């Protein structure tokens, strides 16, 4: 059992391990196969997941889980290595992307449907959907008309997997066609943006996905893993996971960061668009109409209201006390974050088999001058949940892979042009713990 002091000391002494930096992995490797179907903030590189699976799930028939599945990096890699997998994420966009990325489709089927899609598009009637008022804030009228036509043509596709594939391309393309500043992860209007032709940019992305699917499909067929099961649920991971206890061999996940990304805001274009179609996207409609409630359930978001409870971590207690001295509302956000993470670690413990490993990829940060030692807190909370140490890995994030900067004061991700910016994370940790 590590005391808080010993955990602090151990992390202080950790040296970065070169073999975990994946310095030489180029973009073509980090975006290989289906990994680049849809932009997604704070996704981890597939190389980390692959190495963890190879190290900790050496035989093929194991079950891998990611309770913060995001855009499905873990599930894609698990499938490619022949492992069953299950993921959860509160974000419906994450589910749409992950299901698409883990479903190989016969290449011929896609090219046939592409041709059919074009004919549906050409013959689309004059449509006027009843859009959410925010749609006109983000898109100009001619773009909305074009997007309506594309959406109409996609919905004519009967094959479920193919339709979802096209919807995934459509969802990715929404940001391109909107007034949203492309280089910003925050919802920011770009007054000077020249919006591309929606159909052309949709087809361009669709075609790149079709190519990627072909490689994914062929590779899986060659290894015999095409029908290896993957399941993605839209779930709040602070609640009971929708699986039995002791069924998982390996967990690989990267939790959300506190007060950094507002995932719900980031995906509002897809949420708004699909939410306008209650017949096909009933839940999305509910989320986009009750957006503030929906947003509140994301871990790490602000404005959750004050919760109470034991952190199961001395280090967390000290961080929250220190923040209280500087900014109460920030202290509340961070306290809520640690309380939520405690619940997730306890569920991870329940679903893992004895001897199963949990690998948490996590970075530390600082808010208003207080160090937020997420990795160290995770270790303490996991110990309290019944895990023992296997390995603590410090990895350098090579410069080319770190995109975001942080605002020194607020800790939020910011742009290059902000004078009070600091590098977000130069290092992160892989905390590997075992269920005992
Ligand atoms: C760092 S990202 C994970 C990215 C993922 N590793 C990937 O490669 O795409 C964290 C994820 O946690 C999700 N999340 C936030 N709060 C959640 C909650 N309460 N339950 C489940 N997922 C949540 C976010 O939607 C986001 O997708």
């Amino acid at each position: 059992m590590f005391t808080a002091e010993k955990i602090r000391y151990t992390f202080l002494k950790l040296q970065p391990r070169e073999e975990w930096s994946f310095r030489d992995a180029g973009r073509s490797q980090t975006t290989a196969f289906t990994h680049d179907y849809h932009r997604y903030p704070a996704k981890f590189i597939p190389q980390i997941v692959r190495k963890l699976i190879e190290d900790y799930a050496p035989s093929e028939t194991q079950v891998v889980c990611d309770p913060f599945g995001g855009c499905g990096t873990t599930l894609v890699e698990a499938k490619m290595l022949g492992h069953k997998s299950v993921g959860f994420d509160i974000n419906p966009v994450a589910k749409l992307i992950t299901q698409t990325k883990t479903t190989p489709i016969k290449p011929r089927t896609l090219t046939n449907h592409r041709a059919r899609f074009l004919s549906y598009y050409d013959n689309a009637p004059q449509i006027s959907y009843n859009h959410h008022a925010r749609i006109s804030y983000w898109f100009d009228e001619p773009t909305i008309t074009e997007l309506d036509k594309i959406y109409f043509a996609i919905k004519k596709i009967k094959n479920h997997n193919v339709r979802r594939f096209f919807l995934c391309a459509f969802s990715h393309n929404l940001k391109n066609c909107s007034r949203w500043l492309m280089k910003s992860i925050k919802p920011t209007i770009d007054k000077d943006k020249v919006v591309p032709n929606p159909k052309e940019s949709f087809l361009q992305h669709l075609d790149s996905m079709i190519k990627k699917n072909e490689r994914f499909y062929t590779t899986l067929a060659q290894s015999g893993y095409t029908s290896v099961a993957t399941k993605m649920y839209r779930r709040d991971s602070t609640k009971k996971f929708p699986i039995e206890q002791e069924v998982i061999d390996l967990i690989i996940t990267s939790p959300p960061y506190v007060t950094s990304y507002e995932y719900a805001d980031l995906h509002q274009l897809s949420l708004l668009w699909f939410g306008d179609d209650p017949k096909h996207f009933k839940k999305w409609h509910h989320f986009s109409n009750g957006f503030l409630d929906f947003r509140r359930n994301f871990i790490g978001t602000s404005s959750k209201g004050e919760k109470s409870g034991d952190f199961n971590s001395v280090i967390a207690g000290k961080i929250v006390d220190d923040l209280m001295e500087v900014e109460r509302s920030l202290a509340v956000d961070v306290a809520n974050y640690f309380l939520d993470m405690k619940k997730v670690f306890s569920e991870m413990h329940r679903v893992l088999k004895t001897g199963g490993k949990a690998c948490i990829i996590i970075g530390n940060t600082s808010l208003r001058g207080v160090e937020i030692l997420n990795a160290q807190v995770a270790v303490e909370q996991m110990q309290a949940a019944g895990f023992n140490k296997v390995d603590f890995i410090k990895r350098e994030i090579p410069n080319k892979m770190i995109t975001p900067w942080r605002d020194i004061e607020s800790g939020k991700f910011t742009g290059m042009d902000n004078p009070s910016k600091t590098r977000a994370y130069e290092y992160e940790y892989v905390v590997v713990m075992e269920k005992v």
Side-chain angles (χ1 to χ4, degrees), residues 332-344:
V332 170
D333 290 344
V334 174
N336 287 339
Y337 174 79
F338 289 140
L339 290 172
D340 281 342
M341 287 305 299
K342 181 181 87 170
K343 290 191 207 151
V344 183

Side-chain angles (χ1 to χ4, degrees), residues 35 40-46 49 66-74 88-92 94 98 101 232-239 241 252-257 261 263-264 267 295-301 304 340 344 361:
H35 286 300
Y40 204 88
K43 57 182 174 185
F44 44 32
I45 54 167
V49 179
D66 187 344
F68 298 113
C71 67
T73 314
T74 302
F88 319 119
D89 202 289
I90 199 164
N91 183 359
T98 301
K101 283 168 67 171
M232 181 72 182
Y233 295 88
R234 197 207 73 82
R235 278 292 193 291
D236 179 348
S237 290
T238 62
K239 308 264 160 56
F241 296 174
I252 301 175
T253 198
S254 69
Y257 297 111
Y261 290 115
Y263 288 93
H267 290 117
R295 187 182 191 265
R296 215 165 276 140
N297 289 326
F298 282 69
I299 296 179
T301 195
K304 267 178 181 269
D340 281 342
V344 183
I361 292 104

Side-chain angles (χ1 to χ4, degrees), residues 105 109-110 113 157 159-167:
I105 300 176
T109 307
L110 279 181
H113 275 91
I157 299 171
N159 180 316
H160 175 77
N161 289 344
V162 176
R163 190 173 59 246
R164 189 175 56 208
F165 186 91
F166 278 62
L167 285 173

Side-chain angles (χ1 to χ4, degrees), residues 360-372:
I360 317 297
I361 292 104
I362 195 163
N364 291 344
T365 182
S366 97
L367 292 174
R368 305 282 316 265
V370 177
E371 286 231 76
I372 313 295

Side-chain angles (χ1 to χ4, degrees), residues 11-12 69 102 124 155 194 244 252 264 278 282 300 354 371 377 409:
F11 274 80
L12 214 59
T102 51
K155 288 212 308 184
V194 181
E244 296 298 315
I252 301 175
K282 200 167 151 204
T354 304
E371 286 231 76
V377 172
E409 280 296 295

Side-chain angles (χ1 to χ4, degrees), residues 276-413:
D276 281 349
D277 185 4
K279 197 168 151 220
H280 294 96
F281 290 92
K282 200 167 151 204
K283 284 196 185 141
W284 298 55
H285 180 68
H286 174 70
F287 301 142
S288 64
N289 280 285
F291 187 69
L292 289 180
D293 282 340
F294 168 66
R295 187 182 191 265
R296 215 165 276 140
N297 289 326
F298 282 69
I299 296 179
T301 195
S302 31
S303 73
K304 267 178 181 269
E306 213 162 321
K307 297 180 188 172
S308 59
D310 188 345
F311 300 124
N312 282 354
S313 160
V314 175
I315 301 172
K318 172 87 172 69
I319 294 170
V320 172
D321 286 349
D322 289 351
L323 277 172
M324 276 290 177
E325 309 269 304
V326 214
E327 191 180 322
R328 186 181 167 79
S329 65
L330 204 53
V332 170
D333 290 344
V334 174
N336 287 339
Y337 174 79
F338 289 140
L339 290 172
D340 281 342
M341 287 305 299
K342 181 181 87 170
K343 290 191 207 151
V344 183
F345 291 134
S346 139
E347 267 304 280
M348 288 188 193
H349 189 266
R350 183 183 70 80
V351 300
L352 266 178
K353 295 178 187 166
T354 304
K357 313 279 188 295
C359 312
I360 317 297
I361 292 104
I362 195 163
N364 291 344
T365 182
S366 97
L367 292 174
R368 305 282 316 265
V370 177
E371 286 231 76
I372 313 295
L373 305 175
N374 295 313
Q376 290 86 327
V377 172
V379 171
E380 259 193 301
Q381 291 186 319
M382 290 177 83
Q383 273 193 160
F387 287 95
N388 273 359
K389 176 192 169 183
V390 175
D391 202 1
F392 301 153
I393 299 157
K394 181 173 182 176
R395 68 175 290 268
E396 186 187 343
I397 312 174
N399 263 353
K400 61 178 177 182
M401 290 180 193
I402 324 175
T403 34
W405 298 82
R406 271 176 183 278
D407 183 272
I408 290 169
E409 280 296 295
S410 68
K412 287 195 187 299
F413 287 107

Side-chain angles (χ1 to χ4, degrees), residues 91-110:
N91 183 359
V93 186
K95 180 176 169 188
L96 167 76
I97 304 171
T98 301
Q99 288 181 322
T100 312
K101 283 168 67 171
T102 51
T103 308
I105 300 176
K106 207 171 177 181
R108 240 330 246 293
T109 307
L110 279 181

